[in-house]
Amino acid sequence: MSAELILAVGDIVGESAVWDTRGERLLWVDIIGQRIHALTPASGRHEIWKTPDRVTSIGLRRDGGAIVGLTRTLSLWDFDETFDTFADIEPDIPGNRLNEGVVGPDGAYWIGTMQNNIAPDGSPKDIAENTGRLYRCTADGSVSALSDDRFGITNTLVWTPDGDLITADTLRNELYRYSYAPATQRLSDRRLFHRGFERGAPDGSAIDADGFVWNCRVAGGGCIVRFDPEGAIDRVVELPCSWPTSCAFGGADLDTLFVTSTRFTMDASYIAENPLEGGLFAIRPGVKGVACNRFG
């Protein structure tokens, strides 16, 4: 099993890959590049939209548009030049920013925060405190915290077939499993899913039709790890980039795993020697994924 470069886009921070089954295209963002991509593999059509702020995540809506995470707010977007502010997240914590965001099985947008690690000029900034938290935004714009737990960097939001949430803290190099109670709209019973894989740290993930989690290993990991439903390592897939960031199953049969990457923190000489960093890749893993949820 090998990964193929699909598009040498040179994203500074490629993230939040999601497959649009209606349009048969992949969507993803470049946080620091302030742009949203769409690629239709069948035709090779590649579209780019500029965003008014750093864009951190994207999800699809039931009405055909998208919900987009910017630095501190969620916006509704219809693939044009307008981003309509929909909800403020943590307006009382100005030092935080949004990070991972995914539409959950309940149709709400689940979003994580973290202490802002990007300076105004786009350079890296140290994280001094674990101020990240998980939230849930519903179709009426209501925002509620999912738990009182704090994270260094919130990452990975995937749901098991029985409704549990798998999430991660990149700084701790740990993935967790939570129970979720729709009646209370709160997470509980946090337990360790996997800890301490020695290559890189956990970033975004996708779940396949068999309930296995495919996790991108950022910060020099250079691979994707497939975990079984109990959190044991099933396989490791090597990548031609050192910082993979997010992944999504797509294609007509949801049998292609698309992978975004980043060149954040890398200097010009390193990028010149490693030009695939920040590219979009594809793997044919021999398993199928599941269709994404839609907001609303």
Side-chain angles (χ1 to χ4, degrees):
M1 185 188 310
S2 60
E4 172 190 1
L5 177 71
I6 298 298
L7 206 60
V9 286
D11 284 333
I12 304 172
V13 184
E15 271 286 4
S16 196
V18 62
W19 179 259
D20 177 5
T21 54
R22 297 179 191 172
E24 297 186 341
R25 61 182 181 173
L26 184 78
L27 296 157
W28 74 100
V29 309
D30 179 354
I31 296 177
I32 296 178
Q34 294 185 207
R35 55 185 182 170
I36 299 172
H37 297 275
L39 175 68
T40 307
S43 65
R45 185 184 184 192
H46 177 212
E47 301 170 86
I48 300 175
W49 295 269
K50 294 298 292 182
T51 59
D53 191 2
R54 289 180 182 144
V55 55
T56 59
S57 66
I58 185 169
L60 300 175
R61 306 197 320 254
R62 289 177 183 168
D63 64 7
I67 181 168
V68 173
L70 298 175
T71 301
R72 300 185 46 77
T73 61
L74 296 178
S75 289
L76 301 182
W77 179 61
D78 293 313
F79 304 96
D80 54 22
E81 306 305 314
T82 303
F83 292 79
D84 294 319
T85 299
F86 180 68
D88 290 324
I89 310 295
E90 295 184 334
D92 56 334
I93 311 178
N96 273 9
R97 70 167 177 87
L98 304 188
N99 198 43
E100 182 91 319
V102 179
V103 181
D106 57 355
Y109 202 59
W110 295 47
I111 186 83
T113 63
M114 60 179 285
Q115 189 174 79
N116 192 357
N117 65 336
I118 305 170
D121 64 357
S123 62
K125 200 167 73 168
D126 288 340
I127 296 173
E129 296 181 85
N130 295 326
T131 58
R133 201 171 180 185
L134 294 172
Y135 296 87
R136 178 178 173 272
C137 178
T138 54
D140 63 359
S142 299
V143 177
S144 59
L146 282 157
S147 82
D148 296 326
D149 295 334
R150 297 302 196 272
F151 296 77
I153 299 178
T154 53
N155 256 316
T156 288
L157 291 168
V158 294
W159 290 263
T160 66
D162 59 358
D164 282 356
L165 173 72
I166 306 293
T167 190
D169 190 327
T170 302
L171 288 189
R172 293 191 179 106
N173 193 11
E174 293 178 343
L175 290 102
Y176 311 104
R177 183 169 181 154
Y178 283 91
S179 298
Y180 175 66
T184 63
Q185 300 176 3
R186 295 279 288 183
L187 296 171
S188 64
D189 188 25
R190 173 164 131 168
R191 56 267 196 208
L192 196 66
F193 184 72
H194 192 90
R195 168 191 287 154
F197 181 67
E198 67 276 9
R199 292 179 56 178
D203 204 319
S205 298
I207 196 160
D208 64 31
D210 297 321
F212 285 60
V213 176
W214 296 75
N215 176 240
C216 293
R217 304 300 298 188
V218 77
C223 66
I224 288 184
V225 180
R226 187 190 194 219
F227 295 105
D228 73 15
E230 303 305 316
I233 295 173
D234 171 74
R235 72 183 78 163
V236 178
V237 181
E238 302 295 332
L239 294 171
C241 64
S242 61
W243 285 49
T245 51
S246 75
C247 55
F249 283 94
D253 296 318
L254 297 177
D255 59 356
T256 300
L257 187 65
F258 293 97
V259 183
T260 61
S261 65
T262 177
R263 47 179 59 182
F264 189 51
T265 77
M266 303 173 190
D267 62 30
S269 61
Y270 177 86
I271 293 171
E273 295 176 1
N274 301 273
L276 300 189
E277 305 285 7
L280 175 71
F281 304 89
I283 302 167
R284 297 299 293 269
V287 298
K288 294 184 179 182
V290 294
C292 71
N293 303 301
R294 287 182 176 263
F295 177 77

